[in-house]
Amino acid sequence: MPLEKEKTVLTQTVRIRELYADDTVVALNAALLERGVEIEQIISVLTVPGQAMGRPIPPQFRVLYRSI
């Protein structure tokens, strides 16, 4: 009996995008709402440490998400 293989055909191009938000949950939720990102689109949420020397940057969240 021959084995059958499934074919996967991609009909849509999925792009990975990122956004940065302040390191508070309220700011993160506001940024996600502003861009219209749904929970199913989120790939990961990463913490980005702040930088004190040179050009000071506060800690942030980096979100990777799928853009449909």
Side-chain angles (χ1 to χ4, degrees), residues 19 21 25-39 41-42 63 65:
L19 69 87
V25 175
V26 174
L28 176 61
N29 287 334
L32 292 171
L33 281 173
E34 183 179 300
R35 294 218 184 172
V37 177
E38 299 291 329
I39 189 82
Q41 295 174 270
I42 296 174
V63 180
Y65 65 97

Side-chain angles (χ1 to χ4, degrees), residues 34-52:
E34 183 179 300
R35 294 218 184 172
V37 177
E38 299 291 329
I39 189 82
E40 299 86 21
Q41 295 174 270
I42 296 174
I43 298 169
S44 68
V45 178
L46 307 166
T47 57
V48 179
Q51 175 181 331

Side-chain angles (χ1 to χ4, degrees), residues 2 10 29 34 38 46 50-51 55 58 60 62 64 66 68:
L10 296 177
N29 287 334
E34 183 179 300
E38 299 291 329
L46 307 166
Q51 175 181 331
R55 188 176 61 133
Q60 297 177 324
R62 178 182 177 211
L64 298 175
R66 291 178 189 90
I68 300 173

